[in-house]
Amino acid sequence: METNFQIGDRVACDKFASMSHDFVGSIEKIYENSAVVEIIEHHKDDNVAVTDFHNRTVVSLKHMKKITA
C-alpha cells in the first residue's frame, strides 16, 4: 500500500478508545497500515490518556489526514 504520508508530517487524527476528542500529531514512524504519532495538540479532557501514552500512540492511516501549513 502506497501512502502519501511522510515522517514529520503534521496530521489530524480521529479520536479512539481512551481519547475522547480528535487530536493533532506529528508522524514519527510509518508502518504498512498505521503510523506512530507524537501527540502535540489535544483537548484538556484527554490529559490523563496522553500522559499514559507518553505523548505517543499508533494510529491507522485511515483515521488521519495531513494538515497543510
Side-chain angles (χ1 to χ4, degrees), residues 12-17 19 21-23 59 62-65:
C13 302
D14 297 335
K15 64 182 179 180
F16 64 93
M19 298 286 285
H21 304 277
D22 294 347
F23 58 95
V59 180
K62 294 178 184 177
H63 295 283
M64 68 173 74
K65 59 184 167 194

Side-chain angles (χ1 to χ4, degrees), residues 10-65:
R10 189 173 166 101
V11 291
C13 302
D14 297 335
K15 64 182 179 180
F16 64 93
S18 29
M19 298 286 285
S20 303
H21 304 277
D22 294 347
F23 58 95
V24 174
S26 175
I27 295 178
E28 292 189 337
K29 183 169 183 156
I30 300 174
Y31 298 106
E32 188 172 331
N33 296 310
S34 60
V36 175
V37 175
E38 177 186 10
I39 301 168
I40 53 179
E41 293 178 24
H42 60 87
H43 192 278
K44 64 179 179 166
D45 292 346
D46 292 327
N47 278 341
V48 173
V50 171
T51 301
D52 287 347
F53 295 151
H54 300 286
N55 295 339
R56 285 172 179 72
T57 190
V58 176
V59 180
S60 169
L61 296 177
K62 294 178 184 177
H63 295 283
M64 68 173 74
K65 59 184 167 194

